[in-house]
């Protein structure tokens, strides 16, 4: 069940990303990245496939942390907390370093950074909640 939890957590986060980078912040993100519609829509299978794989790796790391706790502690909110903490302590600083050197905008960092926190919180919450079932 271990990898099934990670897979389901990753799928939930991937679906959030589809909403985040289309309806919610798609135009702003595309303007900040300066990608044309053609560029943004090219190689979609490869881009989404590799992104999903990386999301699976990150979710697996959060699941590792969640599994260090007793089953009674593994609730949605507890898993979400660990996911958000992992994002804030590991993912965000790594992205920030890259964005600083690449001279990316604060707006782009806020769009991507907020998604990272929400994505890992959602994934962590889903994975922890599945352990109760």
């Amino acid at each position: 069940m271990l990898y099934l939890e990670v897979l389901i957590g990753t799928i939930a986060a991937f679906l959030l990303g589809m909403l985040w980078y289309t309806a919610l912040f798609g135009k702003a993100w595309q303007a900040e990245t300066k990608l044309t519609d053609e560029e943004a829509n090219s190689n979609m299978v490869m881009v989404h496939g590799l992104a999903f794989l990386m999301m699976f790796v990150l979710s697996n790391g959060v699941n590792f942390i969640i599994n260090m706790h007793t089953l009674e502690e593994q609730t949605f909110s507890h898993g979400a907390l660990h996911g958000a903490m992992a994002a804030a302590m590991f993912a965000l600083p790594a992205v920030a370093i890259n964005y600083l050197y690449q001279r990316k905008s604060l707006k782009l960092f806020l769009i991507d950074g907020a998604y990272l926190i929400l994505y890992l919180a959602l994934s962590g919450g889903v994975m922890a909640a599945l352990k109760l079932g």
Side-chain angles (χ1 to χ4, degrees), residues 13-130:
F14 190 81
L15 293 174
L16 172 64
M18 289 175 63
L19 177 65
W20 192 265
Y21 288 105
T22 57
L24 296 176
F25 298 103
K27 293 294 181 195
W29 177 84
Q30 192 172 340
E32 292 300 309
T33 59
K34 298 177 179 37
L35 289 173
T36 65
D37 287 338
E38 184 178 302
E39 291 169 326
N41 293 314
S42 66
N43 298 320
M44 293 300 277
V45 172
M46 182 192 70
V47 170
H48 286 305
L50 290 174
F52 188 87
L53 178 63
M54 294 300 103
M55 294 169 84
F56 184 85
V57 170
L58 285 166
S59 293
N60 195 51
V62 172
N63 199 42
F64 178 81
I65 296 166
I66 293 168
N67 285 335
M68 292 180 174
H69 297 271
T70 65
L71 190 59
E72 294 78 31
E73 295 175 299
Q74 295 179 9
T75 63
F76 181 91
S77 60
H78 189 257
L81 174 66
H82 281 294
M85 286 173 51
M89 293 188 298
F90 299 104
L92 282 181
V95 170
I97 291 166
N98 285 328
Y99 281 21
L100 286 167
Y101 281 109
Q102 295 171 18
R103 308 301 196 267
K104 301 288 184 183
S105 71
L106 176 61
K107 185 175 182 179
L108 181 61
F109 176 74
L110 293 174
I111 292 169
D112 291 340
Y115 171 67
L116 279 170
I117 291 174
L118 291 175
Y119 135 53
L120 284 174
L122 176 62
S123 181
V126 167
M127 291 183 297
L130 287 171

